[in-house]
Amino acid sequence: IDVADELLLRDVFFGEMQQKNYVVLCHPTHLDSIPISSVFRDAYLQGLPAASAAEFFLLDCSHVLPSSGKTIAERFELDLKKKANYFCVW
């Protein structure tokens, strides 16, 4: 997800616009050496039922939101210390 796309971020977190289902993996954009979670990648690539029911996105949850001065992880109380931090929005 482009963190500059405020409308998409609002839809992902609050369902205000398109009211779609999302599966989001917190993944730092500045660290290409960190592999994407195999569970997340496989669900997306193999077309599991979740893949047809939701849109899959990577999101830099350490990005600071200009409106609050908090990171996305802080704002939504996500623990980035977990190995694969992902969440679903239905």
Side-chain angles (χ1 to χ4, degrees):
I1 296 176
D2 178 1
V3 292
D5 188 342
E6 187 176 332
L7 291 177
L8 180 56
L9 284 175
R10 292 187 67 82
D11 192 44
V12 168
F13 286 106
F14 303 111
E16 292 182 349
M17 308 302 278
Q18 301 175 39
Q19 297 190 359
K20 294 182 179 179
N21 300 322
Y22 299 99
V23 179
V24 181
L25 173 67
C26 289
H27 191 78
T29 57
H30 62 283
L31 296 175
D32 292 334
S33 62
I34 296 177
I36 295 173
S37 161
S38 62
V39 172
F40 181 87
R41 185 187 67 241
D42 291 348
Y44 173 73
L45 293 176
Q46 294 179 4
L48 296 176
S52 61
E55 292 190 38
F56 284 64
F57 286 109
L58 298 177
L59 175 64
D60 185 357
C61 293
S62 62
H63 175 76
V64 177
L65 298 166
S67 59
S68 67
K70 294 182 178 181
T71 66
I72 292 170
E74 291 168 338
R75 170 68 176 81
F76 295 100
E77 299 179 4
L78 304 172
D79 183 1
L80 295 182
K81 294 178 184 173
K82 292 182 180 179
K83 185 175 180 182
N85 200 325
Y86 53 93
F87 54 93
C88 301
V89 181
W90 247 245

